[in-house]
Amino acid sequence: MEPNKVIIAGGGLVGSLAGCYFAKRGWTVEVYEKRPDPRAEANKGSRNHKSINLAISARGLSAVERLGPATYSKVKSITLPMYGRMIHDIDGKTLHGQAYSAKGEYINSIDRGLLNHLLLDQLDDHGKTARNNVKVVFDCILDTCDFKTKTARFRNQVTGEVIETKGDLIVGADGAYSVARRRLQSATRVNIELKYIDHLYCELEMKPKIRSDNSTDFAMQMDHLHIWPRGTFMLIALPNLDKSFTCTLFMPLATFESLKTPEDLSAFFRKYFPDALELFGGEETIAQEYFANPKGDLFYVKCSPHHYKGNGVIVGDAAHCTVPFYAQGMNCGFEDIETLDRLLVEQAKISQGKAAETGDDSDIKTHNLTPEQIEAALIKYSDCRPRDSASMIDLALHNYVEMRNNVNKLSYKLRFMIEKKLSLWFPSYVMPLYSMVSFSKLSYTEATRRWNAQTRAINRLVTVGTEISAICIAASLVCIVSALSRRGYAPFARLNGLRIPKLQEIFNLFRSQ
Ligand SMILES: Cc1cc2nc3c(=O)[nH]c(=O)nc-3n(C[C@H](O)[C@H](O)[C@H](O)COP(=O)(O)OP(=O)(O)OC[C@H]3O[C@@H](n4cnc5c(N)ncnc54)[C@H](O)[C@@H]3O)c2cc1C
């Protein structure tokens, strides 16, 4: 029996990971990627207008780990740990470190290009070790696909050749502007919400500093994610293996438009990011970078369902493009692929009469699943992923305000500190939101629900604590005053004989405020 064939549109981060999974499970894999091979010497360093580096955390790493220990250690070897935020004050001198976790957990900075190369190499290796069942075709753009007939048409952008192909499953991993998503809409009723936010981003490179002996070093502390929060806008920086930092300026469109000349930019940086200006190497360098680099749009897409019958599914940004403020877009896309794999494996186990949740999955093959079994997996997939990815997008929108406006406020620091402490004392009941999102695999929906519940509980605790403290202070004052007045201490003598209000009355007084 011929193994099932999957056609994957898009060989970016999520598409190449999906290819690795399907190849590992014995499928015949065809990946079509619009760009030229990014590993070819001539194309190295070419940008695809997305961030140069990103943060990979628990969900992304878990999906990589499930592929096998060798892939996992290769990926880990190109990461740099970031243990917390380093907040840069507007005075250009003061820095505050904020650990992400009370347990020393960290997120990882990783180069987008290197990760993509590594996954494409893995995909090639799977092709070699299996029965040559992997084909990756570059320069090929998805023109259209039909989810009803499981066919797709690609066009080679160099030769003009048109490739028509038919498979057992179509996977749309063609990113935020997905053609596959639009085609899914013509196969079935798909609810779509697409919204641009009023902010754009621009990347700026902070080169390594050169020491007196000509060796290089990071210009700032390398084990943190640096943030310059400035209310309506912010600058962030993530470290790279070559000791540079990739900095990203997130600002409203109007602010970008107001910076028309190098002089405007210098004045802006001197006012808001004085230390960064130094670290970038001065006004001229920053102006060259800023005016040459593209300003990227930020928008999100929520849609549901993500699949059509057992015929096709959209994954990654094609299904849930997000604003990048929780560093979860790729992590969520990788989680899509792990979830899809688990559901297909579950079907394979059921068909073999094995209990779905038991045993080591690593050698299970899914290439012989019937269309009905694939459909059963995809129905379960669309039961959870649209909802969870929508929750992830809401969390990211919320976190933008936290990052640019709140991280440096006392109220935020207090709440973060209380959550971290409580999570150490009552780990079964309290986990900071950041930990649920970045260091756990709780679904984004469940993380949001737990966070809302625990925020209500913590707020109540803080209110009751404040009330009790206020009552104690008031009661102590009343006792002191009445004692002094009874002893005839002149300023309070007139109060002698007054009844001390009952504690309950004071309590009620505070409650009514
Ligand atoms: C500034 C910024 C910072 C970010 N930081 C983080 C972070 O720290 N952590 C994180 O988890 N996420 C982050 N993200 C999100 C992350 O970049 C995306 O979620 C991730 O790239 C999605 O991967 P993907 O493979 O689904 O899509 P993409 O990376 O967009 O890949 C899609 C691929 O499909 C190809 N393609 C497109 N159209 C076609 C077509 N018609 N035919 C064939 N091929 C096609 C493209 O060339 C591309 O290679 C960030 C995003 C931005 C913009």
Side-chain angles (χ1 to χ4, degrees), residues 14 33-35 50 54-55 112 142 174 317 327 329-331:
V14 175
E33 165 55 45
K34 167 171 93 168
R35 291 170 299 155
K50 279 268 179 75
L54 356 90
R112 177 190 292 274
L142 174 69
D174 51 344
D317 275 16
M330 171 198 61
N331 284 290

Side-chain angles (χ1 to χ4, degrees), residues 89-95 274-275:
D89 264 10
I90 200 161
D91 65 11
K93 297 186 187 92
T94 321
L95 297 175
D275 55 335

Side-chain angles (χ1 to χ4, degrees), residues 9-15 32-35 50-51 53-55 112 140-142 173-176 179 201 203 248 250 298 315-318 324 327-331:
L13 297 175
V14 175
Y32 295 89
E33 165 55 45
K34 167 171 93 168
R35 291 170 299 155
K50 279 268 179 75
S51 63
N53 58 14
L54 356 90
R112 177 190 292 274
C140 270
I141 188 162
L142 174 69
D174 51 344
V179 173
Y201 72 95
E203 292 197 322
T248 314
F250 294 98
L298 293 168
V315 292
D317 275 16
Q328 286 299 309
M330 171 198 61
N331 284 290

Side-chain angles (χ1 to χ4, degrees), residues 121-381:
D121 285 346
Q122 287 298 113
L123 194 50
D124 286 347
D125 289 350
H126 274 296
K128 284 177 206 142
T129 50
R131 323 151 277 104
N132 230 354
N133 64 341
V134 175
K135 184 165 100 180
V136 185
V137 193
F138 292 97
D139 294 309
C140 270
I141 188 162
L142 174 69
D143 266 346
T144 187
C145 61
D146 185 340
F147 281 90
K148 291 192 170 159
T149 56
K150 300 188 250 187
T151 52
R153 192 179 71 219
F154 295 90
R155 191 170 27 87
N156 188 308
Q157 301 194 95
V158 179
T159 63
E161 183 196 0
V162 171
I163 303 166
E164 307 252 8
T165 181
K166 182 170 167 50
D168 299 284
L169 181 69
I170 296 178
V171 174
D174 51 344
Y177 300 93
S178 172
V179 173
R181 183 175 65 232
R182 287 202 295 278
R183 298 307 303 154
L184 183 64
Q185 272 187 294
S186 41
T188 186
R189 289 145 51 99
V190 182
N191 286 312
I192 298 200
E193 181 187 337
L194 186 155
K195 191 163 191 279
Y196 283 82
I197 65 166
D198 190 32
H199 292 231
L200 282 78
Y201 72 95
C202 175
E203 292 197 322
L204 306 163
E205 191 198 0
M206 185 182 283
K207 294 208 163 61
K209 73 175 176 206
I210 302 188
R211 287 194 288 236
S212 51
D213 61 356
N214 268 348
S215 62
T216 55
D217 200 357
F218 289 93
M220 304 181 289
Q221 199 171 325
M222 48 82 78
D223 56 0
H224 278 67
L225 187 153
H226 292 257
I227 310 187
W228 290 256
R230 298 294 180 258
T232 56
F233 54 91
M234 68 175 180
L235 179 70
I236 66 167
L238 274 73
N240 295 313
L241 288 174
D242 68 358
K243 299 184 182 171
S244 66
F245 279 87
T246 302
C247 306
T248 314
L249 187 55
F250 294 98
M251 297 197 300
L253 173 63
T255 316
F256 273 112
E257 284 176 347
S258 70
L259 303 177
K260 292 194 174 67
T261 63
E263 292 72 33
D264 295 339
L265 187 74
S266 299
F268 180 75
F269 263 77
R270 260 186 266 117
K271 181 167 178 191
Y272 293 109
F273 310 117
D275 55 335
L277 187 58
E278 290 275 306
L279 296 164
F280 275 118
E283 298 178 2
E284 223 170 281
T285 325
I286 193 82
Q288 272 166 12
E289 284 266 316
Y290 176 87
F291 289 107
N293 291 350
K295 317 291 177 283
D297 283 323
L298 293 168
F299 62 96
Y300 67 81
V301 176
K302 296 177 182 175
C303 73
S304 178
H306 287 177
H307 81 291
Y308 175 71
K309 296 195 172 169
N311 298 9
V313 62
I314 52 173
V315 292
D317 275 16
H320 48 68
C321 171
T322 182
V323 293
F325 305 114
Y326 230 121
Q328 286 299 309
M330 171 198 61
N331 284 290
C332 181
F334 278 20
E335 192 175 59
D336 289 347
I337 305 305
E338 180 177 346
T339 308
L340 183 59
D341 181 64
R342 285 187 185 280
L343 292 169
L344 292 170
V345 164
E346 184 182 278
Q347 289 301 317
K349 282 181 164 176
I350 292 170
S351 69
Q352 292 162 14
K354 292 184 185 159
E357 64 285 351
T358 53
D360 174 15
D361 288 348
S362 52
D363 289 331
I364 303 268
K365 300 291 178 205
T366 61
H367 62 275
N368 286 331
L369 290 177
T370 63
E372 293 72 29
Q373 288 166 330
I374 298 174
E375 181 171 7
L378 293 191
I379 289 173
K380 281 193 173 180
Y381 182 88

Side-chain angles (χ1 to χ4, degrees), residues 53-121:
N53 58 14
L54 356 90
I56 186 166
S57 46
R59 295 163 204 271
L61 287 173
S62 162
V64 171
E65 193 169 18
R66 188 171 162 82
L67 262 186
T71 315
Y72 179 75
S73 47
K74 278 185 196 159
V75 169
K76 276 294 274 181
S77 74
I78 55 166
T79 62
L80 286 169
M82 297 182 289
Y83 290 90
R85 304 182 179 117
M86 187 60 75
I87 317 278
H88 294 242
D89 264 10
I90 200 161
D91 65 11
K93 297 186 187 92
T94 321
L95 297 175
H96 312 271
Q98 266 176 22
Y100 282 130
S101 148
K103 299 179 199 151
E105 291 150 308
Y106 54 88
I107 58 173
N108 305 274
S109 178
I110 192 164
D111 183 289
R112 177 190 292 274
L114 282 183
L115 179 58
N116 203 179
H117 295 186
L118 201 151
L119 291 172
L120 289 169
D121 285 346

